[in-house]
Amino acid sequence: MEPNGTDLIRLEGVTKVFYTDEVETHALSGIHLEIHKGEYISIAGPSGCGKSTLLSIMGLLDTPTEGKYWLNGTPVEDLDLADRSRIRNREVGFIFQSFNLIGDLNVFENVELPLTYRGMPSGERKERVQKALERVGMSHRVKHYPSQLSGGQQQRVAVARALVGEPAVLLADEPTGNLDSKNGTAVMDLLRELHRAGATIVMVTHDPRFARYAQRTVTLFDGRIVNESFEQLEMGEQPSAIEGA
Ligand SMILES: Nc1ncnc2c1ncn2[C@@H]1O[C@H](COP(=O)(O)OP(=O)(O)OP(=O)(O)O)[C@@H](O)[C@H]1O
Ligand SMILES: [Mg+2]
């Protein structure tokens, strides 16, 4: 079946098997999942159930063993390496538990990197980076290096790096896992704000408080989807984002 117009992500029968030292690990088995533009989804489930593997496949960091994946209408299994990297750079923003900022680049340079890879002219890069850092409240720290920032500040810079290229989807793997409660809440509030401004977000979280920020929670167990639940819409929110989901 071809994807319909509003599916940003469509997975059909996606399976992932890791082969190591004659051991087969079935990390994902027969995943069907559709995510619409503007949705905010959380992925839950116990350790080892396949959450990060699923996010890596969605973010084109890894390939399925079997199954089909359309990202923004493009069937990604047919792409060569160069096209995969180009599409990843344009369509996907990643936020990791461990921030993954580059230690010998300062805040500005870290956020600029995805735009540099795109070959964007420096004037436009500068403007975009400044805007992204303003959005996360970090424009006062452009010259700082990651080691000179608190965990919460590093994660806000990582969010700026993820959104600077205006990707189609933000993928966040336990973005608050290394943060204390106050900084965790600040990062989650920021993601919620980005969602309200139109971003599509897929987030892995162990924290039920934060899972409730999402409109839909998909629960995995042993590499399979075992449950999907929907949050009540908040006052003033448009139902269109989850129509037909
Ligand atoms: N590169 C790899 N090689 C072999 N097995 C792997 C690899 N990556 C993941 N796995 C296995 O696949 C399964 C799913 O791993 P995954 O990292 O997706 O789990 P997770 O749900 O993100 O867990 P956690 O909550 O602990 O982060 C696990 O059993 C894991 O051991
Ligand atoms: Mg994980």
Coordinates of all heavy atoms in Angstrom, one line a residue, residues 16-20 23 25-28 45-55 62 97 173-174 204 206 220, ligand 1:
K16 N 13.8 -6.0 12.7 CA 15.2 -5.8 12.8 C 15.9 -7.0 13.6 O 15.5 -7.2 14.7 CB 15.6 -4.5 13.5 CG 17.0 -4.2 13.6 CD 17.7 -3.9 12.3 CE 19.2 -3.7 12.4 NZ 19.8 -3.4 11.1
V17 N 16.8 -7.6 12.9 CA 17.5 -8.7 13.6 C 19.0 -8.3 13.6 O 19.5 -8.0 12.6 CB 17.3 -10.1 12.8 CG1 18.0 -11.2 13.5 CG2 15.9 -10.3 12.5
F18 N 19.6 -8.4 14.8 CA 21.0 -8.2 14.9 C 21.7 -9.6 15.0 O 21.3 -10.4 15.7 CB 21.4 -7.4 16.2 CG 20.9 -6.0 16.2 CD1 19.8 -5.6 16.9 CD2 21.6 -5.1 15.4 CE1 19.4 -4.3 16.9 CE2 21.2 -3.7 15.4 CZ 20.1 -3.3 16.1
Y19 N 22.7 -9.7 14.1 CA 23.5 -11.0 14.1 C 24.8 -10.7 14.8 O 25.6 -10.0 14.2 CB 23.7 -11.5 12.7 CG 22.4 -11.8 12.0 CD1 21.7 -10.8 11.2 CD2 21.7 -13.0 12.1 CE1 20.6 -11.1 10.6 CE2 20.6 -13.3 11.4 CZ 20.0 -12.3 10.7 OH 18.8 -12.6 10.0
T20 N 25.1 -11.4 15.9 CA 26.4 -11.2 16.5 C 26.9 -12.6 17.1 O 26.1 -13.2 17.8 CB 26.4 -10.2 17.7 OG1 25.2 -10.4 18.4 CG2 26.5 -8.8 17.2
V23 N 24.7 -15.3 17.5 CA 23.5 -15.1 18.3 C 22.6 -14.1 17.4 O 23.1 -13.2 16.9 CB 23.8 -14.4 19.6 CG1 22.5 -14.2 20.4 CG2 24.8 -15.2 20.4
T25 N 19.5 -11.6 17.6 CA 18.6 -10.8 18.5 C 17.5 -10.2 17.6 O 17.8 -9.4 16.7 CB 19.4 -9.7 19.2 OG1 20.6 -10.2 19.8 CG2 18.5 -9.0 20.2
H26 N 16.3 -10.6 17.9 CA 15.2 -10.0 17.2 C 14.7 -8.7 18.0 O 14.0 -8.8 18.9 CB 14.0 -11.0 17.1 CG 14.3 -12.1 16.2 ND1 13.8 -12.2 14.9 CD2 15.2 -13.2 16.3 CE1 14.3 -13.3 14.3 NE2 15.1 -13.9 15.2
A27 N 15.3 -7.6 17.5 CA 15.0 -6.3 18.2 C 13.7 -5.8 17.9 O 13.0 -5.2 18.7 CB 16.1 -5.3 17.9
L28 N 13.2 -5.9 16.6 CA 11.9 -5.5 16.2 C 11.2 -6.6 15.4 O 11.9 -7.2 14.5 CB 12.0 -4.2 15.4 CG 12.5 -2.9 16.1 CD1 12.7 -1.8 15.1 CD2 11.6 -2.5 17.2
G45 N 8.1 1.3 27.0 CA 8.4 -0.1 27.1 C 9.6 -0.4 27.8 O 10.5 0.5 28.0
P46 N 9.8 -1.6 28.3 CA 10.9 -1.9 29.2 C 12.2 -1.9 28.4 O 12.3 -1.9 27.2 CB 10.6 -3.4 29.7 CG 9.6 -3.9 28.7 CD 8.9 -2.7 28.1
S47 N 13.3 -1.9 29.2 CA 14.7 -1.9 28.6 C 14.9 -3.0 27.7 O 14.5 -4.2 28.0 CB 15.7 -1.9 29.8 OG 17.0 -1.9 29.3
G48 N 15.4 -2.8 26.5 CA 15.7 -3.8 25.6 C 14.5 -4.2 24.7 O 14.7 -5.1 23.8
C49 N 13.4 -3.5 24.7 CA 12.3 -3.9 23.9 C 12.3 -3.3 22.5 O 11.5 -3.7 21.7 CB 11.0 -3.4 24.6 SG 10.8 -1.6 24.6
G50 N 13.3 -2.5 22.2 CA 13.5 -2.1 20.8 C 13.3 -0.6 20.5 O 13.2 -0.2 19.4
K51 N 13.1 0.2 21.6 CA 12.7 1.6 21.4 C 13.8 2.4 20.6 O 13.5 3.1 19.6 CB 12.5 2.3 22.8 CG 11.5 1.6 23.6 CD 11.3 2.3 24.9 CE 12.5 2.4 25.8 NZ 12.9 1.0 26.3
S52 N 15.1 2.2 21.0 CA 16.2 3.0 20.4 C 16.4 2.5 19.0 O 16.7 3.2 18.0 CB 17.5 2.9 21.2 OG 17.3 3.5 22.4
T53 N 16.2 1.1 18.8 CA 16.3 0.6 17.5 C 15.3 1.2 16.5 O 15.6 1.5 15.4 CB 16.2 -1.0 17.5 OG1 17.1 -1.5 18.5 CG2 16.4 -1.6 16.2
L54 N 14.1 1.3 17.0 CA 13.0 1.8 16.2 C 13.3 3.3 15.8 O 13.2 3.7 14.7 CB 11.7 1.8 17.0 CG 10.4 2.3 16.3 CD1 10.2 1.5 15.0 CD2 9.2 2.2 17.2
L55 N 13.8 4.1 16.8 CA 14.1 5.5 16.5 C 15.3 5.6 15.5 O 15.3 6.4 14.6 CB 14.5 6.2 17.8 CG 13.8 7.5 18.1 CD1 12.3 7.2 18.2 CD2 14.3 8.1 19.4
D62 N 19.9 3.5 10.9 CA 20.0 2.0 10.7 C 18.9 1.6 9.7 O 18.0 2.4 9.4 CB 19.8 1.4 12.1 CG 20.5 0.0 12.2 OD1 20.9 -0.5 11.1 OD2 20.6 -0.5 13.3
Q97 N 19.9 11.1 24.8 CA 20.0 11.1 26.2 C 21.4 11.8 26.7 O 21.4 12.5 27.6 CB 19.9 9.7 26.8 CG 20.2 9.6 28.3 CD 19.9 8.2 28.8 OE1 19.5 7.3 28.1 NE2 20.1 8.0 30.1
D173 N 15.5 10.5 22.0 CA 15.7 9.2 22.8 C 16.0 9.5 24.2 O 17.2 9.8 24.5 CB 16.8 8.4 22.1 CG 16.7 6.9 22.5 OD1 16.0 6.6 23.5 OD2 17.4 6.1 21.9
E174 N 15.1 9.4 25.1 CA 15.2 9.7 26.5 C 16.0 11.0 26.7 O 17.0 11.1 27.4 CB 16.0 8.5 27.2 CG 15.1 7.3 27.1 CD 15.7 6.2 28.0 OE1 16.0 6.5 29.2 OE2 15.8 5.0 27.6
V204 N 11.2 8.9 23.0 CA 11.3 7.7 23.9 C 11.4 8.2 25.3 O 12.3 9.1 25.5 CB 12.5 6.8 23.5 CG1 12.7 5.7 24.6 CG2 12.3 6.2 22.2
H206 N 11.0 7.0 29.7 CA 10.6 6.0 30.7 C 9.7 6.7 31.7 O 9.2 6.1 32.6 CB 11.9 5.5 31.4 CG 12.6 4.5 30.7 ND1 12.0 3.3 30.4 CD2 13.8 4.4 30.2 CE1 12.9 2.5 29.8 NE2 14.0 3.2 29.6
L220 N 6.0 -0.7 23.4 CA 6.6 -1.9 22.8 C 6.9 -2.9 23.8 O 7.2 -2.6 25.0 CB 8.0 -1.5 22.1 CG 8.0 -0.6 20.9 CD1 9.5 -0.4 20.5 CD2 7.2 -1.1 19.8
Ligands
LIG1 N1 24.1 -3.2 17.6 C1 23.5 -4.2 18.2 N2 23.9 -5.5 18.1 C2 23.3 -6.5 18.7 N3 22.2 -6.4 19.4 C3 21.7 -5.2 19.6 C4 22.3 -4.0 19.0 N4 21.6 -2.9 19.3 C5 20.5 -3.3 20.0 N5 20.6 -4.7 20.2 C6 19.6 -5.5 20.9 O1 18.3 -5.2 20.5 C7 17.4 -5.2 21.5 C8 16.7 -3.8 21.5 O2 17.7 -2.8 21.9 P1 17.3 -1.3 22.1 O3 18.6 -0.5 22.3 O4 16.5 -0.9 20.9 O5 16.4 -1.3 23.4 P2 15.7 -0.1 24.2 O6 14.2 -0.4 24.2 O7 16.1 1.2 23.6 O8 16.3 -0.3 25.6 P3 16.7 0.9 26.8 O9 15.4 1.3 27.4 O10 17.5 0.1 27.7 O11 17.4 2.0 26.1 C9 18.2 -5.5 22.8 O12 18.0 -6.8 23.1 C10 19.6 -5.2 22.4 O13 20.5 -6.0 23.1

